[in-house]
Amino acid sequence: MTSNDTPRSGTNLRPGSRTVHPPVPSVEGSDPLDPPLYQSHVFGFSDTATTANALATPGAPYIYGRYDNPTVSAFEMAMSDLEGGVAARAASSGMGAITAVLWSLLRSGDHVVTQNCLYGGTQSYLDDLVERWGVTVTPVDAGDPDSVRAAIRPNTRVLLLETIANPTVEVADIPRLAAVAREAGVTTMVDNTFATPLLCRPIEHGADVVVHSATKYLGGHADVLGGVAVFADTDTHERVTRASVDLGATLDPFAAWLLLRGTRTLGVRVARQCANAQELAELLRADPRVAAVHYPGLAEHPTHETARSVLTDGYGGMLSFELAGGRSAGQAFAEAVRLASLAPSLGDVKTLVTHAASVSHRTLSADQLSRAGIGEGLIRVSVGIEEVADLWADFQQALDTAEGA
Ligand SMILES: *Cc1c(COP(=O)(O)O)cnc(C)c1O
């Protein structure tokens, strides 16, 4: 390590200034194997013209953390590469990415076509756009290109899909739906959080924008919040970047560094989560206390055939199942698990469960639940990387408890 002896650091300063201007080590003669963490939110310059130029031209050189940062750029490059896009914009959370994209693509009076059941935060933001900005939204069946075609109007700007829906784990027919949108000049935006770029790369199927809650599988260890949007074209990337800089939804460098660290093991984690989920789905299906199992890897799942063509290398780590005992059984199961945790998130190395009717979808009436295809005894499982035999033992004791509830 050498020290970069700038005029501002040096022994001629008094201690009170030296604490503020310590020598900055730089690495010479070797390369760090992993992207360094540049936590600095601002970069210094030697002349005003270069400083002014850096402020005016986003991207290069780095100047201020809300615009960009080398560690955040490293995460964006990694995600753009994994998703097969041309560029990416990281965000402080999945919702930061989703709102920046919708805010920059939509103006008042525009129309959005969405799949029936969206992530709650996305739905809540759309509801606000409807109420305050005069945006209109038409929900459609994500398996049916004809219903998307019928829903598109002259003012439709965005088709919004989720690769794998929550909590029914239905897989959207991205190639056919994106083709319908493209024909009509509509931007297809896909939330790929549940699938990860290892199981699905929506841009390869015709999507224009892919968003992630990086908080989930990309981070993978329940210790960081983040989001990212990946783009198939540079114009949309630039528009969203401008919006994101204005909104201030920028990713923190340390969060980017943690996400890069998480992403390195994404492949082994997701492979194990898929294998565990498939095995648990089959075990649950054979248990008489379970009325139905929803997993795209089961032949009887309504979107199994779509999943076979849209997903590669596995059917994901998310599954849900209906307890024959209904609401009280569902609640009892979620409270009885010991190895798994009752926690409303997903994508962690640990197995997490929630009971939809009393937690994630608690505001829905019995009627709304049934229309969304969610039974009152539905348990959602984000399958972790534990040994599957231990998970099954835990689920069995929780099923025993739920049976008596
Ligand atoms: C969690 C989640 C989000 C929101 O992400 P945050 O990081 O919590 O802002 C969006 N979409 C899906 C599918 C999610 O699971």
Side-chain angles (χ1 to χ4, degrees):
M1 232 185 248
T2 59
S3 112
N4 182 357
D5 208 14
T6 66
R8 286 186 195 85
S9 65
T11 47
N12 56 336
L13 294 173
R14 291 156 199 273
S17 300
R18 280 158 62 189
T19 55
V20 185
H21 298 274
V24 179
S26 63
V27 181
E28 275 167 26
S30 63
D31 291 322
L33 277 185
D34 293 307
L37 170 58
Y38 292 92
Q39 189 67 25
S40 184
H41 86 268
V42 70
F43 291 78
F45 296 86
S46 54
D47 65 88
T48 54
T50 314
T51 317
N53 184 48
L55 271 180
T57 30
Y62 293 102
I63 181 161
Y64 185 65
R66 183 156 45 77
Y67 305 166
D68 45 27
N69 167 283
T71 310
V72 174
S73 295
F75 172 65
E76 289 169 340
M77 283 162 68
M79 289 313 300
S80 179
D81 178 61
L82 279 173
E83 284 287 2
V86 298
R89 176 73 189 175
S92 50
S93 71
M95 285 312 299
I98 291 165
T99 54
V101 172
L102 290 174
W103 199 65
S104 59
L105 293 184
L106 296 173
R107 54 181 73 221
S108 70
D110 282 348
H111 176 241
V112 181
V113 177
T114 71
Q115 71 184 46
N116 271 328
C117 192
L118 286 174
Y119 175 73
T122 308
Q123 187 62 55
S124 151
Y125 184 63
L126 283 173
D127 291 346
D128 188 55
L129 290 178
V130 168
E131 200 180 300
R132 298 196 306 130
W133 300 99
V135 167
T136 47
V137 177
T138 306
V140 297
D141 177 351
D144 180 13
D146 289 336
S147 66
V148 172
R149 192 174 286 113
I152 289 178
R153 307 173 190 166
N155 61 338
T156 307
R157 295 284 166 262
V158 176
L159 168 66
L160 176 50
L161 305 172
E162 292 173 3
T163 313
I164 303 176
N166 176 35
T168 53
V169 287
E170 286 184 3
V171 178
D173 194 347
I174 300 171
R176 293 170 70 202
L177 302 181
V180 171
R182 178 144 309 209
E183 239 169 69
V186 170
T187 298
T188 300
M189 169 177 175
V190 179
D191 184 333
N192 200 31
T193 300
F194 277 34
T196 83
L198 294 178
L199 304 186
C200 182
R201 287 165 299 283
I203 289 171
E204 289 175 3
H205 296 295
D208 301 292
V209 184
V210 178
V211 292
H212 281 275
S213 169
T215 311
K216 314 291 171 51
Y217 285 99
L218 302 176
H221 298 76
D223 54 8
V224 60
L225 272 174
V228 68
V230 183
F231 304 90
D233 68 283
T234 49
D235 283 358
T236 313
H237 172 248
E238 278 164 26
R239 276 171 76 179
V240 172
T241 297
R242 273 198 301 277
S244 156
V245 166
D246 291 344
L247 289 166
T250 312
L251 184 65
D252 179 75
F254 183 54
W257 187 85
L258 282 173
L259 290 171
L260 278 163
R261 185 184 156 112
T263 307
R264 276 178 230 136
T265 56
L266 184 64
V268 286
R269 283 188 281 114
V270 168
R272 170 82 159 211
Q273 284 157 332
C274 289
N276 279 357
Q278 183 77 39
E279 201 164 334
L280 279 179
E282 284 166 16
L283 288 164
L284 285 163
R285 178 173 57 175
D287 194 295
R289 294 165 293 189
V290 175
V293 181
H294 310 292
Y295 185 62
L298 296 179
E300 68 270 25
H301 189 265
T303 63
H304 178 64
E305 282 310 313
T306 306
R308 279 165 56 98
S309 65
V310 171
L311 305 182
T312 50
D313 301 323
Y315 296 97
M318 300 300 297
L319 64 86
S320 59
F321 61 94
E322 296 283 349
L323 286 166
R327 180 179 282 262
S328 59
Q331 224 162 322
F333 180 94
E335 289 170 4
V337 288
R338 293 193 198 121
L339 179 61
S341 305
L342 166 55
S345 188
L346 60 115
D348 188 18
V349 289
K350 294 179 180 141
T351 296
L352 310 178
V353 305
T354 61
H355 174 230
S358 64
V359 183
S360 53
H361 295 72
R362 67 194 175 283
T363 56
L364 270 57
S365 66
D367 204 40
Q368 286 171 316
L369 279 174
S370 95
R371 263 186 283 133
I374 302 169
E376 298 207 43
L378 186 133
I379 295 288
R380 187 189 77 176
V381 187
S382 167
V383 181
I385 65 167
E386 299 94 337
E387 302 259 350
V388 73
D390 291 325
L391 285 174
W392 182 235
D394 187 33
F395 277 24
Q396 277 180 301
Q397 67 80 24
L399 285 167
D400 291 341
T401 307
E403 202 181 16

